[in-house]
């Protein structure tokens, strides 16, 4: 009897344990589901407010590979400039970056020297079709840079040599330091391409007077940079000198010259890296002292006078008088006129007499484009 009672009690105890076990499992399951739901809610909130990329980045950043493949095109990125010239560098950053000079003179790659054609303009380039024809077939030997008003948006087709060639620009005023800033900005952007060896400043009213091959060889073989720098003793020369510029610049060192220049890479770097003469000219050369006629000629004469040709190879006509040179339009353009512009002249090239004194000419109105395009190719050579 006693054994039956014990068996009955043991049976009841087992039944109670069996009932308790599922209850514990059920509680654990409820807690697990609650944790999963909370984790899902937190994840959805994080993704919604911080973005899925930040979550993935946080997780993947903890799993770093033991070895990373080297970036094979790093050197190519250094020597090949980006096709898009737009960047967010300030002028200060840009000039600093452009002033870098390799200490080792021999290039570790096949460098083909190029000419940088730098157009300083307010807006459109009405003579662009003529320049397109001039440059056709000479890819890899030139680069193009355009400094315009910041508000101007060019509409060149992708097939054009001018497509995407605008640099970050600012407003520039004739006769003010902002004009020199624009020229230095063009030089600095062009210097970022290590293959650019010569730098030619042009306006929207400039035209080439010879074919590309002739101009390329003439420029590349020159021992001197073409910067006009002469001592004008009159009111428009020394008369603009401010004695506050001494002793850095004495009146006997004061020079005047054309705004339009053609300089090699070494001289271009000396222009963009200048921090000595710039403050003096900015402060003491203001209208009626026109800084774009005096800053570069004076500074370069003092720092590198022995490598200047002391002339520009951009022809202009001042015979009509006034503050600006003559402008030529449709009715002026013919073969006789262009032959008169090109010569016969007498000048010095590489310390020898030459009859080729001007390679470019200005000022040409938009109406001059049609007769220029329709000239016999033998006249201009292209």
């Amino acid at each position: 009897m006693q054994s039956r009672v014990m068996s009955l009690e043991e049976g009841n105890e087992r039944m109670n344990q069996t009932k308790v076990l599922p209850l514990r499992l059920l509680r654990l399951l409820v807690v697990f589901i609650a944790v999963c739901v909370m984790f899902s809610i937190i994840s959805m909130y994080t993704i919604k407010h911080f973005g899925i990329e930040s979550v993935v980045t946080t997780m993947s950043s903890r799993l770093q590979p033991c070895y990373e493949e080297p970036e094979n095109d790093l050197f190519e990125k250094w020597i090949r400039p980006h096709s898009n010239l737009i960047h967010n560098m300030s002028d200060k950053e840009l000039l600093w970056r452009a002033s870098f000079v390799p200490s080792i003179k021999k290039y570790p790659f096949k460098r083909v020297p190029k000419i940088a054609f730098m157009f300083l303009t307010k807006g459109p380039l009405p003579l662009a079709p003529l320049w397109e024809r001039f440059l056709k077939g000479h890819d890899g030997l030139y680069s193009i840079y355009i400094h315009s008003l910041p508000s101007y948006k060019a509409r060149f087709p992708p097939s054009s040599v001018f497509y995407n060639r605008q640099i970050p620009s600012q407003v520039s005023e004739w006769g003010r330091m902002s004009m020199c800033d624009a020229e230095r900005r063009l030089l600095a952007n062009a210097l970022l391409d290590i293959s650019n060896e010569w730098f030619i400043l042009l306006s929207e009213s400039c035209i080439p007077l010879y074919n590309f091959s002739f101009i390329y060889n003439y420029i590349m073989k020159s021992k001197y940079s073409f910067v006009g720098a002469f001592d004008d003793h009159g009111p428009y020369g020394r008369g603009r000198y401010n004695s506050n510029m001494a002793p850095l610049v004495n009146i006997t060192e004061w020079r005047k010259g054309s705004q339009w220049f053609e300089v090699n890479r070494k001289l271009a770097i000396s222009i963009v890296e200048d921090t000595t003469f710039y403050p003096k000219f900015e402060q003491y050369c203001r209208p009626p002292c026109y800084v774009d006629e005096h800053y570069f000629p004076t500074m370069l004469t003092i720092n590198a006078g022995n490598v200047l040709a002391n002339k520009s190879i951009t022809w202009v006509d001042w015979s009509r008088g006034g503050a600006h040179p003559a402008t030529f339009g449709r009715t002026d353009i013919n073969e006789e006129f262009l032959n008169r512009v090109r010569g016969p002249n007498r000048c010095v090239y590489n310390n020898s007499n030459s009859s080729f004194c001007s390679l470019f000419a200005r000022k040409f109105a938009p109406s001059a484009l049609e007769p220029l395009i329709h000239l016999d190719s033998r006249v201009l050579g292209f």
Side-chain angles (χ1 to χ4, degrees), residues 210-238:
Y210 298 93
N211 63 45
F212 182 89
S213 296
F214 180 86
I215 290 178
Y216 181 87
N217 289 322
Y218 187 104
I219 292 286
M220 288 296 169
K221 292 178 181 179
S222 177
K223 300 176 183 177
Y224 303 94
S225 288
F226 301 98
V227 178
F230 61 96
D231 186 3
D232 181 355
H233 288 251
Y236 304 115
R238 289 195 179 191

Short mmCIF file of all heavy atoms in Angstrom, two decimals, residues 210-238:
data_model
loop_
_atom_site.label_atom_id
_atom_site.label_comp_id
_atom_site.label_asym_id
_atom_site.label_seq_id
_atom_site.Cartn_x
_atom_site.Cartn_y
_atom_site.Cartn_z
N TYR A 210 49.94 81.67 -88.78
CA TYR A 210 50.60 80.59 -89.52
C TYR A 210 49.97 79.27 -89.09
O TYR A 210 49.15 79.22 -88.17
CB TYR A 210 52.11 80.58 -89.25
CG TYR A 210 52.81 81.84 -89.69
CD1 TYR A 210 53.02 82.90 -88.79
CD2 TYR A 210 53.26 81.99 -91.00
CE1 TYR A 210 53.66 84.06 -89.19
CE2 TYR A 210 53.91 83.15 -91.41
CZ TYR A 210 54.11 84.18 -90.50
OH TYR A 210 54.74 85.34 -90.90
N ASN A 211 50.37 78.20 -89.74
CA ASN A 211 49.81 76.89 -89.37
C ASN A 211 50.42 76.40 -88.06
O ASN A 211 51.41 76.93 -87.57
CB ASN A 211 50.00 75.87 -90.51
CG ASN A 211 51.46 75.58 -90.81
OD1 ASN A 211 52.28 75.38 -89.91
ND2 ASN A 211 51.81 75.56 -92.10
N PHE A 212 49.81 75.35 -87.52
CA PHE A 212 50.21 74.87 -86.20
C PHE A 212 51.65 74.40 -86.16
O PHE A 212 52.39 74.71 -85.23
CB PHE A 212 49.28 73.73 -85.75
CG PHE A 212 49.60 73.20 -84.38
CD1 PHE A 212 49.01 73.77 -83.26
CD2 PHE A 212 50.51 72.16 -84.20
CE1 PHE A 212 49.31 73.29 -81.98
CE2 PHE A 212 50.83 71.69 -82.93
CZ PHE A 212 50.22 72.25 -81.83
N SER A 213 52.08 73.64 -87.16
CA SER A 213 53.43 73.08 -87.16
C SER A 213 54.49 74.17 -87.11
O SER A 213 55.48 74.07 -86.38
CB SER A 213 53.64 72.19 -88.38
OG SER A 213 52.78 71.08 -88.34
N PHE A 214 54.28 75.25 -87.90
CA PHE A 214 55.25 76.34 -87.92
C PHE A 214 55.32 77.01 -86.55
O PHE A 214 56.40 77.25 -86.01
CB PHE A 214 54.87 77.37 -88.99
CG PHE A 214 55.82 78.53 -89.05
CD1 PHE A 214 56.97 78.46 -89.83
CD2 PHE A 214 55.58 79.70 -88.34
CE1 PHE A 214 57.86 79.52 -89.88
CE2 PHE A 214 56.46 80.77 -88.37
CZ PHE A 214 57.61 80.68 -89.16
N ILE A 215 54.14 77.32 -85.97
CA ILE A 215 54.10 77.99 -84.66
C ILE A 215 54.69 77.10 -83.57
O ILE A 215 55.46 77.56 -82.72
CB ILE A 215 52.66 78.41 -84.33
CG1 ILE A 215 52.23 79.56 -85.26
CG2 ILE A 215 52.53 78.82 -82.86
CD1 ILE A 215 50.80 80.04 -85.06
N TYR A 216 54.36 75.81 -83.59
CA TYR A 216 54.87 74.88 -82.58
C TYR A 216 56.40 74.83 -82.61
O TYR A 216 57.05 74.94 -81.57
CB TYR A 216 54.29 73.49 -82.84
CG TYR A 216 54.72 72.44 -81.84
CD1 TYR A 216 54.01 72.25 -80.65
CD2 TYR A 216 55.84 71.63 -82.08
CE1 TYR A 216 54.41 71.28 -79.73
CE2 TYR A 216 56.24 70.67 -81.16
CZ TYR A 216 55.53 70.49 -80.00
OH TYR A 216 55.93 69.55 -79.09
N ASN A 217 56.97 74.68 -83.78
CA ASN A 217 58.44 74.59 -83.90
C ASN A 217 59.11 75.91 -83.54
O ASN A 217 60.17 75.92 -82.90
CB ASN A 217 58.82 74.17 -85.32
CG ASN A 217 58.48 72.72 -85.59
OD1 ASN A 217 58.62 71.86 -84.73
ND2 ASN A 217 57.98 72.44 -86.79
N TYR A 218 58.51 77.03 -83.94
CA TYR A 218 59.06 78.35 -83.62
C TYR A 218 59.13 78.55 -82.11
O TYR A 218 60.15 78.99 -81.57
CB TYR A 218 58.17 79.42 -84.27
CG TYR A 218 58.68 80.85 -84.18
CD1 TYR A 218 59.27 81.47 -85.28
CD2 TYR A 218 58.55 81.59 -83.01
CE1 TYR A 218 59.72 82.78 -85.22
CE2 TYR A 218 59.00 82.90 -82.93
CZ TYR A 218 59.58 83.49 -84.03
OH TYR A 218 60.03 84.80 -83.96
N ILE A 219 58.03 78.21 -81.45
CA ILE A 219 57.95 78.39 -79.99
C ILE A 219 58.89 77.43 -79.27
O ILE A 219 59.67 77.84 -78.39
CB ILE A 219 56.49 78.17 -79.51
CG1 ILE A 219 55.57 79.28 -80.03
CG2 ILE A 219 56.44 78.09 -77.99
CD1 ILE A 219 55.72 80.59 -79.36
N MET A 220 58.83 76.16 -79.61
CA MET A 220 59.60 75.15 -78.90
C MET A 220 61.11 75.36 -79.03
O MET A 220 61.88 75.02 -78.13
CB MET A 220 59.22 73.75 -79.39
CG MET A 220 57.86 73.28 -78.95
SD MET A 220 57.75 73.10 -77.15
CE MET A 220 55.98 72.87 -76.95
N LYS A 221 61.55 75.91 -80.14
CA LYS A 221 62.98 76.10 -80.37
C LYS A 221 63.50 77.44 -79.84
O LYS A 221 64.70 77.70 -79.90
CB LYS A 221 63.28 76.00 -81.86
CG LYS A 221 63.07 74.61 -82.44
CD LYS A 221 63.34 74.57 -83.94
CE LYS A 221 63.10 73.18 -84.51
NZ LYS A 221 63.32 73.15 -85.99
N SER A 222 62.61 78.26 -79.30
CA SER A 222 63.03 79.58 -78.82
C SER A 222 63.84 79.47 -77.53
O SER A 222 63.50 78.72 -76.61
CB SER A 222 61.82 80.47 -78.58
OG SER A 222 62.22 81.72 -78.06
N LYS A 223 64.90 80.24 -77.46
CA LYS A 223 65.73 80.31 -76.26
C LYS A 223 65.17 81.31 -75.25
O LYS A 223 65.62 81.35 -74.11
CB LYS A 223 67.15 80.72 -76.63
CG LYS A 223 67.86 79.77 -77.59
CD LYS A 223 69.23 80.33 -77.98
CE LYS A 223 69.93 79.43 -78.99
NZ LYS A 223 71.24 80.02 -79.42
N TYR A 224 64.22 82.12 -75.70
CA TYR A 224 63.72 83.21 -74.86
C TYR A 224 62.19 83.17 -74.78
O TYR A 224 61.52 82.69 -75.69
CB TYR A 224 64.16 84.57 -75.42
CG TYR A 224 65.65 84.72 -75.56
CD1 TYR A 224 66.29 84.44 -76.77
CD2 TYR A 224 66.43 85.12 -74.49
CE1 TYR A 224 67.67 84.57 -76.90
CE2 TYR A 224 67.81 85.26 -74.61
CZ TYR A 224 68.42 84.98 -75.82
OH TYR A 224 69.78 85.10 -75.94
N SER A 225 61.67 83.69 -73.68
CA SER A 225 60.23 83.88 -73.54
C SER A 225 59.84 85.24 -74.10
O SER A 225 60.60 86.21 -73.99
CB SER A 225 59.81 83.77 -72.08
OG SER A 225 59.89 82.44 -71.62
N PHE A 226 58.66 85.29 -74.67
CA PHE A 226 58.23 86.51 -75.36
C PHE A 226 57.35 87.36 -74.45
O PHE A 226 56.14 87.16 -74.34
CB PHE A 226 57.50 86.14 -76.65
CG PHE A 226 58.36 85.35 -77.60
CD1 PHE A 226 58.26 83.96 -77.65
CD2 PHE A 226 59.28 85.98 -78.42
CE1 PHE A 226 59.06 83.22 -78.50
CE2 PHE A 226 60.09 85.25 -79.29
CZ PHE A 226 59.98 83.86 -79.32
N VAL A 227 58.00 88.30 -73.78
CA VAL A 227 57.33 89.25 -72.88
C VAL A 227 57.84 90.64 -73.23
O VAL A 227 59.06 90.88 -73.21
CB VAL A 227 57.62 88.95 -71.40
CG1 VAL A 227 56.95 89.98 -70.50
CG2 VAL A 227 57.15 87.55 -71.04
N GLY A 228 56.92 91.52 -73.57
CA GLY A 228 57.32 92.90 -73.84
C GLY A 228 57.71 93.58 -72.55
O GLY A 228 56.96 93.55 -71.58
N ALA A 229 58.89 94.22 -72.52
CA ALA A 229 59.35 94.91 -71.30
C ALA A 229 60.31 96.02 -71.71
O ALA A 229 61.47 95.75 -72.02
CB ALA A 229 60.03 93.92 -70.36
N PHE A 230 59.83 97.25 -71.73
CA PHE A 230 60.69 98.37 -72.13
C PHE A 230 60.55 99.52 -71.15
O PHE A 230 59.56 99.65 -70.42
CB PHE A 230 60.38 98.82 -73.55
CG PHE A 230 58.97 99.31 -73.76
CD1 PHE A 230 58.67 100.66 -73.70
CD2 PHE A 230 57.93 98.42 -74.05
CE1 PHE A 230 57.38 101.12 -73.90
CE2 PHE A 230 56.64 98.87 -74.25
CZ PHE A 230 56.36 100.23 -74.18
N ASP A 231 61.56 100.33 -71.13
CA ASP A 231 61.61 101.48 -70.21
C ASP A 231 61.04 102.70 -70.91
O ASP A 231 61.69 103.32 -71.74
CB ASP A 231 63.06 101.73 -69.79
CG ASP A 231 63.19 102.81 -68.73
OD1 ASP A 231 62.16 103.33 -68.28
OD2 ASP A 231 64.34 103.13 -68.35
N ASP A 232 59.80 103.03 -70.58
CA ASP A 232 59.12 104.19 -71.18
C ASP A 232 59.28 105.38 -70.24
O ASP A 232 58.75 105.39 -69.14
CB ASP A 232 57.64 103.85 -71.37
CG ASP A 232 56.85 104.99 -72.02
OD1 ASP A 232 57.42 106.08 -72.23
OD2 ASP A 232 55.66 104.78 -72.30
N HIS A 233 60.02 106.40 -70.69
CA HIS A 233 60.29 107.56 -69.84
C HIS A 233 59.14 108.56 -69.81
O HIS A 233 59.20 109.55 -69.09
CB HIS A 233 61.57 108.27 -70.33
CG HIS A 233 62.81 107.51 -70.04
ND1 HIS A 233 63.74 107.90 -69.10
CD2 HIS A 233 63.29 106.34 -70.55
CE1 HIS A 233 64.74 107.04 -69.05
NE2 HIS A 233 64.48 106.08 -69.93
N GLY A 234 58.09 108.31 -70.59
CA GLY A 234 56.97 109.24 -70.69
C GLY A 234 55.95 109.10 -69.58
O GLY A 234 56.13 108.31 -68.63
N PRO A 235 54.84 109.86 -69.70
CA PRO A 235 53.81 109.86 -68.65
C PRO A 235 53.09 108.52 -68.51
O PRO A 235 52.52 108.23 -67.45
CB PRO A 235 52.84 110.96 -69.10
CG PRO A 235 53.06 111.08 -70.58
CD PRO A 235 54.51 110.79 -70.79
N TYR A 236 53.09 107.71 -69.57
CA TYR A 236 52.40 106.42 -69.52
C TYR A 236 53.35 105.27 -69.17
O TYR A 236 52.97 104.10 -69.19
CB TYR A 236 51.70 106.12 -70.85
CG TYR A 236 50.74 107.23 -71.24
CD1 TYR A 236 50.97 108.01 -72.37
CD2 TYR A 236 49.62 107.51 -70.46
CE1 TYR A 236 50.11 109.04 -72.72
CE2 TYR A 236 48.76 108.54 -70.80
CZ TYR A 236 49.00 109.29 -71.93
OH TYR A 236 48.15 110.31 -72.26
N GLY A 237 54.58 105.62 -68.84
CA GLY A 237 55.56 104.64 -68.41
C GLY A 237 56.03 104.97 -67.01
O GLY A 237 55.37 104.64 -66.01
N ARG A 238 57.19 105.67 -66.94
CA ARG A 238 57.69 106.07 -65.62
C ARG A 238 56.73 107.00 -64.90
O ARG A 238 56.77 107.09 -63.66
CB ARG A 238 59.06 106.74 -65.78
CG ARG A 238 60.18 105.78 -66.17
CD ARG A 238 61.54 106.43 -65.97
NE ARG A 238 62.63 105.52 -66.30
CZ ARG A 238 63.91 105.75 -66.02
NH1 ARG A 238 64.25 106.88 -65.37
NH2 ARG A 238 64.85 104.88 -66.35
#
